[in-house]
Amino acid sequence: MMSVDTFPYAEAAGQPLWLRRCKALLTTRTVFAAVLGLLLVVLVFPPLVFLLQGSVTVASPSGELSFSLESFRGIVTERGILRSMSNSFVFAVGSALLAVAFGGVVAWITERTNAPFARLAYITTVTSLGTPYILYISAWLMLIGRSGPLNVYYRELTGAASPLVNAYSMPSMVFIEGLLWSPMVFLLISATLRNFNPELEEAARMCGANGRQIFRRITLKLSMPAVLALIMLVFIRSLEAFEVPAVVGIPGQIRMLTTDIYETLQAIPPDLGSASALSACLLAIVAILLYVYGRMTRNAEQYATVTGKNFKPNKVDLGRWRYLAGAVVLGNFTMLSVLPVVVLIWASLLPFYQAPSPTAFTLLTLNNYVNVLKSSHYVELIGNTLVIAAVSATVVMLLTSLVAWLRARKAAGSVFLDSLATMPLAFPGVILGVAVMQLFLNVPVGVYGTIWIIVWAFVINTLPYGIRYSYAGMLQLHKELEEAALMAGARPLIGFGRIVLPLLSPSLFAGWVFIFLLATRVLSLPVLLSGPSSQTMAVAMFDLMSNGQTPELAALGLLWSASMTAIVVAFHFVARKSGVGIHGH
């Protein structure tokens, strides 16, 4: 069958060779790839250019820019970047190890043993997708804070003056961040264990190996590349995290790289030079770590155990220990879903937050819910958040579906397009916020302080996720369908719109919902880019937390999380019909 690219441009007899070669190059798909590449370059590169420019330039009184390393010198001598860097690395290492240990154990129990309550692990993951990061962090601070039940009851029972747990400490930060990442770790390790071929374990068992030896020498070793890569991934994401360092670290005076960037922008006047220099340093660190991560996953196929045979992984019979394993799963559900929701419900019914007591029960009221539901301000926030999330998700999935189509069909320049779309992985949210801020402070376009600058940032930030979903779906579609359309006279773009897009819609829908939910939860971008009339729900919750309005935050957060969880459940129902999931295919 003839080529998809050259069919509309069949060579005419007698044309010069140079003309035939030009027509072969200028196919519809090649021209379209060039236009799409230009669009991605305009989208991705300008923020990076202006960020780097802002880090190495200084403005004279007349407004002229000149090259200077003063900003880098200042962050080393005045701001003590080494202290922030060491804290960030300790935080990232601890969070990664805790998340992988906790999520990995629950994944193994759920996928490979006969322990009860396995379904609760998946319910925990679904509910976590609808909960904003800032709300989850706030719930844990209510639990372990000085006025929380843990410390209040400890002081009452022991008579101690000091609290049992210091909520604003590095261990607390590691604990909360590790819990935040454990649902994602659970999903990824579950997929690895679910696709594990049991033949190797059965062979070891026939040779006399017991369950512990099989786990240590077979299961664990074959899973180790995926586990190490996952540790590196969570380490990178924790290093660039903003929510926990901002909500827990700043009150606890624990300096981190991301919060240093934020605080330089909150100064009066904002120190954009120092913020850009700090961002450039963190960007370089993340880029190096992502390169290491890429090297770690490059040769992962040598550990593959999945073949063309149909198989079902064996379940380990834990005997009487199965109830202990089930208790671990139940504890995971309690820590990640039950405790945060219970403390938020309790806080939302109080005029001011306090631990449960007979006196506190007499103060219960629904006034916080009434205030939230009657507030026009919150209605505006809901509108802003939904528009930002929906537009960002739609634009990303449209762009990445085109990139994935060109990449899967090996169009000229498609590898470059794929690289452009995945490049934002190296941009931590707070750095991207600074970069986009620098861009629109220098480019005379009237979007600064509006929701559209936040949309721009989210589109850049979520392009890699869109590529993951779109490309995975494209690999399942054979090009013969498009070739048949071309033979019937359809242009490539018509074939894409009428054939590829409808068949790709389940994957696009999965990616759209994931990006939509992500845009409603993330704080690091809108907290830097929003104006008085363009705030999102995450920013509003951050402001309520910072101002000590805990009961109103709890009421607002519960109503919002219930709405987002309903969306996740609806998606899960649709996804089961189409065979896709939020975190993969």
Side-chain angles (χ1 to χ4, degrees):
M1 188 171 290
M2 60 189 63
S3 168
V4 175
D5 282 332
T6 59
F7 178 80
Y9 302 94
E11 297 178 358
Q15 288 183 344
L17 179 61
W18 66 269
L19 181 59
R20 295 200 303 269
R21 288 181 175 176
C22 287
K23 286 189 174 183
L25 288 173
L26 294 177
T27 62
T28 300
R29 189 168 290 171
T30 304
V31 173
F32 185 69
V35 174
L36 186 59
L38 180 62
L39 178 61
L40 289 175
V41 167
V42 171
L43 184 68
V44 173
F45 273 100
L48 176 61
V49 171
F50 280 101
L51 173 71
L52 298 178
Q53 175 185 303
S55 68
V56 295
T57 56
V58 63
S60 64
S62 62
E64 294 183 0
L65 296 178
S66 59
F67 178 80
S68 173
L69 295 177
E70 186 60 34
S71 296
F72 287 97
R73 188 179 301 112
I75 64 173
V76 172
T77 58
E78 298 175 16
R79 297 190 174 276
I81 189 175
L82 294 180
R83 178 185 173 192
S84 301
M85 191 178 296
S86 62
N87 285 339
S88 296
F89 271 83
V90 169
F91 170 70
V93 169
S95 301
L97 293 177
L98 179 63
V100 172
F102 201 57
V105 168
V106 175
W108 181 77
I109 291 173
T110 302
E111 295 294 335
R112 302 304 306 275
T113 75
N114 62 341
F117 309 123
R119 188 175 295 274
L120 288 180
Y122 293 96
I123 295 175
T124 302
T125 303
V126 169
T127 56
S128 70
L129 290 173
T131 306
Y133 297 131
I134 185 67
L135 184 65
Y136 187 87
I137 298 165
S138 301
W140 271 101
L141 289 180
M142 294 178 202
L143 281 167
I144 65 176
R146 191 173 186 87
S147 300
L150 182 65
N151 283 319
V152 168
Y153 297 154
Y154 169 77
R155 289 195 299 267
E156 289 178 355
L157 290 173
T158 64
S162 58
L164 175 65
V165 176
N166 179 9
Y168 300 99
S169 63
M170 180 62 76
S172 297
M173 291 175 62
V174 169
F175 174 75
I176 296 173
E177 185 75 11
L179 289 184
L180 277 174
W181 279 103
S182 62
M184 186 207 73
V185 171
F186 164 77
L187 281 177
L188 296 178
I189 294 185
S190 291
T192 300
L193 295 174
R194 193 180 307 122
N195 295 325
F196 194 90
N197 193 327
E199 291 180 353
L200 297 173
E201 295 175 328
E202 291 173 356
R205 187 174 291 107
M206 292 183 66
C207 292
N210 57 35
R212 184 178 301 176
Q213 291 173 325
I214 292 173
F215 175 78
R216 189 178 72 253
R217 297 183 179 181
I218 306 293
T219 309
L220 189 59
K221 285 191 175 181
L222 288 174
S223 302
M224 191 53 65
V227 172
L228 291 177
L230 192 53
I231 290 174
M232 177 60 76
L233 179 62
V234 179
F235 171 79
I236 294 170
R237 292 312 182 205
S238 298
L239 186 67
E240 62 188 43
F242 174 74
E243 286 83 357
V244 172
V247 178
V248 185
I250 290 178
Q253 298 182 342
I254 302 172
R255 294 184 52 182
M256 311 281 284
L257 287 172
T258 51
T259 52
D260 276 0
I261 296 170
Y262 172 74
E263 290 187 320
T264 59
L265 295 174
Q266 297 303 305
I268 302 177
D271 189 352
L272 279 173
S274 294
S276 298
L278 282 166
S279 298
C281 293
L282 182 54
L283 181 62
I285 294 171
V286 171
I288 293 171
L289 292 172
L290 282 173
Y291 173 77
V292 174
Y293 173 74
R295 298 279 296 183
M296 291 176 64
T297 56
R298 180 174 300 174
N299 299 318
E301 66 275 2
Q302 63 182 305
Y303 293 91
T305 63
V306 179
T307 66
K309 293 182 179 181
N310 185 27
F311 62 84
K312 184 178 181 180
N314 295 322
K315 294 280 188 178
V316 177
D317 185 3
L318 297 178
R320 60 183 180 180
W321 294 102
R322 64 189 296 265
Y323 298 106
L324 178 60
V328 172
V329 177
L330 187 60
N332 172 68
F333 174 70
T334 302
M335 292 180 66
L336 287 170
S337 296
V338 176
L339 284 178
V341 170
V342 168
V343 74
L344 287 171
I345 292 173
W346 171 254
S348 69
L349 298 174
L350 293 170
F352 56 91
Y353 182 69
Q354 56 183 301
S357 66
T359 303
F361 275 98
T362 64
L363 302 175
L364 298 183
T365 175
L366 294 175
N367 287 342
N368 293 310
Y369 291 97
V370 173
N371 294 336
V372 168
L373 293 173
K374 285 186 175 181
S375 173
S376 59
H377 173 62
Y378 291 130
V379 173
E380 182 183 358
L381 290 174
I382 292 172
N384 287 343
T385 306
L386 294 179
V387 169
I388 289 169
V391 173
S392 300
T394 302
V395 172
V396 167
M397 295 316 299
L398 178 61
L399 287 175
T400 56
S401 65
L402 293 168
V403 173
W405 173 57
L406 295 170
R407 182 74 178 92
R409 300 300 178 250
K410 296 180 172 59
S414 60
V415 175
F416 176 66
L417 293 179
D418 185 68
S419 300
L420 280 176
T422 54
M423 185 182 297
L425 278 175
F427 274 86
V430 68
I431 293 178
L432 183 58
V434 176
V436 173
M437 182 187 299
Q438 286 277 28
L439 169 63
F440 287 103
L441 285 174
N442 288 277
V443 176
V445 179
V447 298
Y448 195 86
T450 69
I451 63 172
W452 303 114
I453 189 174
I454 304 175
V455 169
W456 184 286
F458 268 123
V459 167
I460 299 173
N461 183 245
T462 54
L463 277 174
Y465 303 108
I467 278 290
R468 175 185 176 180
Y469 285 98
S470 299
Y471 190 64
M474 274 302 307
L475 291 178
Q476 300 174 17
L477 305 182
H478 200 281
K479 64 181 180 179
E480 289 178 353
L481 298 171
E482 297 165 72
E483 290 173 344
L486 286 170
M487 292 187 66
R491 293 281 179 170
L493 289 181
I494 299 297
F496 174 79
R498 294 187 179 181
I499 296 175
V500 176
L501 273 183
L503 293 174
L504 195 60
S505 57
S507 297
L508 298 183
F509 178 63
W512 191 93
V513 174
F514 177 76
I515 293 172
F516 176 87
L517 292 171
L518 192 65
T520 63
R521 301 168 68 199
V522 170
L523 173 66
S524 55
L525 288 175
V527 77
L528 295 178
L529 299 174
S530 62
S533 62
S534 60
Q535 290 190 340
T536 65
M537 290 297 292
V539 176
M541 292 180 191
F542 180 62
D543 289 341
L544 289 173
M545 183 67 191
S546 302
N547 296 331
Q549 297 173 266
T550 302
E552 190 169 342
L553 163 66
L556 175 64
L558 283 171
L559 293 174
W560 180 251
S561 295
S563 302
M564 293 300 102
T565 301
I567 292 177
V568 175
V569 172
F571 164 77
H572 182 66
F573 177 78
V574 175
R576 290 183 62 184
K577 301 293 183 181
S578 57
V580 298
I582 291 179
H583 287 274
H585 301 264

